[in-house]
Amino acid sequence: MPAIKSTGAYVPYYRLKREEIVRAWGSGSPKGERAVANFDEDSITMAVEAGRDCLKGLDRDIIDGLYFASSSAPFLEKQSASIIAAGLDLKKEAFTVDITDSMRAGTNALKLAIDAIDAGTAKNILVIASDCRLGKPGSGLEQEFGDGAVSLLISNEGDIEFESFYTHTSEIYDQWRTHEQDFVNMWEDRFVYTQGYLDKIKDTTDAFMKKMNSSIQDFDKISMYAPGSRRHIEACRMLKLDPKSDNVQDTMLDVVGNTGTASALLVFVASIEDAKAGDRLLLMNYGDGCDLFIFKVKNKLVLRDRQKGVVGYLKSKSYLKNYEKYIQFRRLMDVQTGRKRPPMVSSAVALNRGRAMIYSLHAGECANCGRAFFPPQRICNYCRAKDQVKEFSISDQRGTLFSFCKDLVAESIDPPVVVCIVNLEGNLRFVGGMTDRNSDNIEMDMPVEFTFRKISDAGGYYNYFWKCRPIR
């Protein structure tokens, strides 16, 4: 029977208080805050982080497929799932696919994974949803949106068993973005929410409950997509639910925001973390129709060692000083920060040659003398043995800061540029940048961990690698 074997999440380190957006534009609601991806993050890097959280303590060779859902993938013609699979160091035989262009993409991917497990064509499929969307500056969408990612490992055995599914497709122009546009568009909000969201949620839920000969009040945890806090309250009242009751899962719209394709699944994973054995879970997602799922908790899903989960990432945060910093992070204006230099485009040939080290952060271990070194190479640094190197990933290792420097002159979206030397296990050292940091609080010997980030995008060529960050 298809079941959820493990879950993971990722919420960026930075938050922006909505009162800062109100200050900038003079309108809107000052309530709450939204998660903001760092300048070196996008839907791919966040997906890698959510996948790593899900796979902590598990053998990654068991993964037969990776289904990636997003409405804000950085590429229009290149698969994002393949980069994520490389960042997670999955086996080459893992089937990868991108599922895009709808708020239902995350639950569409979940249904496809369940069907593959049920059909016996796979035993373990990793579903990841991630979004980093832009609302027009000054718009309500800019305030409502948030950035984040979520992952679920769907398996032929697990503690959260799948029971039933229902879908309802309905074409409506409510929110959209064409390939020529950077910002999400929305039609007049009364039409969008009354004829779209609220109407479709009610029709689909009523039909599903009738089919199941059940009532929505029968479920212990209800996870519901909502475009905003007000609309969530309206939907709950329409379905005769108390939005403050224990069985209605908090949407996190006031602390994270609407994370697009990841939103409903992020709420659902939070409900799983809080659920107990015997609970029945209802997942409801909207976007040109609705997807509804029922799951049953066989045993409580316990976070493994070093898994952060939704709760862990919610607790770890830092506030952007002002809205202008958000403008810089999202590159909505061309801001002068440091000395300008001509854009440096990476080499596709060099990337292909070093892809195991670049994407999967592989080090090398010499079979002759047993010593390790980074980056890996054909000839051992110590005994000079040739082609006797076995590669292994160090991305899950933690280290301590051996040395660092701050470059206040180099061009950066978030100056200063911090370059570090990190001591790792096995007498290894890593040299690279530091991110998600307060440059005034960096200290020698501080513990750090690795995170997958976007290094550059000069000439439309996106280059990814690893940085260190203070442990969250």
Side-chain angles (χ1 to χ4, degrees):
M1 175 182 292
I4 298 172
K5 187 172 184 175
S6 179
T7 63
Y10 179 73
V11 180
Y13 182 57
Y14 289 109
R15 311 286 197 275
L16 178 64
K17 292 182 179 179
R18 292 195 173 102
E19 64 187 40
E20 263 300 306
I21 306 178
V22 173
R23 177 195 64 80
W25 298 110
S27 62
S29 171
K31 181 182 177 182
E33 61 197 48
R34 54 159 294 181
V36 177
N38 206 333
F39 75 94
D40 55 1
E41 294 186 287
D42 59 17
S43 57
I44 286 180
T45 66
M46 293 193 299
V48 171
E49 292 300 307
R52 294 175 70 203
D53 192 47
C54 184
L55 297 176
K56 282 282 193 298
L58 297 178
D59 180 7
R60 299 187 183 188
D61 285 342
I62 69 172
I63 306 301
D64 301 312
L66 189 154
Y67 296 179
F68 173 58
S70 179
S71 67
S72 57
F75 298 102
L76 292 177
E77 187 172 333
K78 175 171 170 42
Q79 192 181 72
S80 298
S82 63
I83 298 176
I84 298 165
L88 294 173
D89 203 19
L90 302 185
K91 62 186 180 184
K92 295 293 189 291
E93 296 82 8
F95 177 73
T96 57
V97 62
D98 291 352
I99 301 167
T100 64
D101 303 337
S102 168
M103 292 300 95
R104 276 199 294 152
T107 48
N108 289 167
L110 176 60
K111 179 58 166 60
L112 292 174
I114 289 171
D115 287 349
I117 299 298
D118 194 41
T121 58
K123 293 183 179 179
N124 295 280
I125 295 178
L126 186 62
V127 174
I128 304 179
S130 175
D131 252 334
C132 184
R133 299 183 296 163
L134 286 174
K136 291 179 181 178
S139 70
L141 294 181
E142 183 182 49
Q143 295 194 33
E144 291 172 355
F145 285 174
D147 306 325
V150 63
S151 57
L152 301 99
L153 180 56
I154 311 302
S155 177
N156 56 356
E157 57 179 6
D159 290 324
I160 315 296
E161 295 181 339
F162 168 74
E163 285 193 352
S164 187
F165 170 78
Y166 186 80
T167 190
H168 175 91
T169 300
S170 178
E171 156 60 24
I172 183 171
Y173 250 100
D174 52 0
Q175 288 187 187
W176 72 96
R177 180 172 63 88
T178 70
H179 70 280
E180 298 172 339
Q181 298 170 319
D182 294 325
F183 303 107
V184 176
N185 299 289
M186 189 177 80
W187 198 250
E188 194 272 330
D189 58 354
R190 289 172 299 175
F191 168 78
V192 167
Y193 297 130
T194 60
Q195 302 303 307
Y197 173 68
L198 295 173
D199 184 62
K200 303 306 180 291
I201 284 284
K202 187 176 191 319
D203 286 352
T204 309
T205 305
D206 288 348
F208 191 33
M209 293 301 112
K210 183 177 180 180
K211 176 185 174 183
M212 299 298 297
N213 193 25
S214 184
S215 167
I216 195 169
Q217 284 77 20
D218 295 337
F219 295 92
D220 299 285
K221 295 286 182 181
I222 300 169
S223 304
M224 184 189 310
Y225 171 85
S229 298
R230 176 184 172 186
R231 305 306 170 183
H232 179 249
I233 293 172
E234 291 176 354
C236 287
R237 290 173 177 170
M238 179 186 64
L239 297 172
K240 296 181 172 56
L241 295 170
D242 180 358
K244 296 183 179 180
S245 65
D246 291 338
N247 65 332
V248 176
Q249 187 65 32
D250 178 24
T251 59
M252 297 177 282
L253 291 167
D254 289 335
V255 293
V256 177
N258 182 343
T259 54
T261 60
S263 188
L265 290 177
L266 191 65
V267 175
F268 180 56
V269 166
S271 77
I272 291 175
E273 292 179 7
D274 191 46
K276 60 184 183 298
D279 282 354
R280 296 183 75 216
L281 314 179
L282 178 64
L283 167 62
M284 309 166 63
N285 195 19
Y286 170 80
D288 290 295
C290 293
D291 289 339
L292 278 74
F293 297 78
I294 296 176
F295 288 87
K296 178 70 175 288
V297 180
K298 186 172 65 174
N299 297 297
K300 181 173 177 58
L301 201 63
V302 179
L303 294 179
R304 296 179 300 280
D305 183 41
R306 289 176 59 184
Q307 264 192 297
K308 295 182 176 71
V310 176
V311 174
Y313 278 116
L314 288 180
K315 291 179 179 178
S316 174
K317 63 182 179 181
S318 179
Y319 290 104
L320 294 181
K321 293 180 180 179
N322 48 50
Y323 177 76
E324 289 80 2
K325 196 68 175 179
Y326 168 79
I327 290 288
Q328 287 181 259
F329 274 20
R330 295 284 74 82
R331 303 187 188 187
L332 299 178
M333 291 176 60
D334 187 13
V335 180
Q336 180 73 39
T337 53
R339 291 176 177 172
K340 286 280 188 180
R341 58 169 173 75
M344 299 174 64
V345 180
S346 300
S347 165
V349 176
L351 177 59
N352 183 67
R353 186 187 307 119
R355 61 188 180 278
M357 184 271 290
I358 294 170
Y359 284 140
S360 305
L361 201 62
H362 278 194
E365 182 180 65
C366 178
N368 185 56
C369 69
R371 300 183 75 173
F373 41 87
F374 178 84
Q377 56 195 44
R378 293 180 62 188
I379 299 175
C380 175
N381 286 343
Y382 303 99
C383 71
R384 314 307 294 173
K386 184 177 180 180
D387 293 334
Q388 297 187 44
V389 175
K390 179 182 177 181
E391 293 188 5
F392 63 98
S393 177
I394 60 173
S395 63
D396 281 337
Q397 284 197 28
R398 289 178 171 179
T400 57
L401 197 59
F402 172 73
S403 181
F404 68 94
C405 69
K406 304 175 187 178
D407 192 335
L408 297 168
V409 179
E411 182 184 5
S412 173
I413 299 295
D414 187 25
V417 173
V418 180
V419 180
C420 303
I421 300 176
V422 178
N423 284 338
L424 301 167
E425 298 173 5
N427 202 32
L428 289 173
R429 276 185 175 168
F430 170 86
V431 180
M434 179 181 282
T435 188
D436 289 359
R437 79 290 180 274
N438 182 333
S439 61
D440 295 329
N441 295 335
I442 301 174
E443 299 176 347
M444 303 295 289
D445 297 322
M446 69 184 296
V448 295
E449 61 188 359
F450 288 116
T451 179
F452 192 70
R453 294 300 168 103
K454 183 172 66 176
I455 302 300
S456 68
D457 56 7
Y461 187 100
Y462 281 60
N463 192 5
Y464 297 91
F465 188 52
W466 296 80
K467 295 181 179 181
C468 68
R469 69 179 175 202
I471 292 177
R472 289 188 62 178

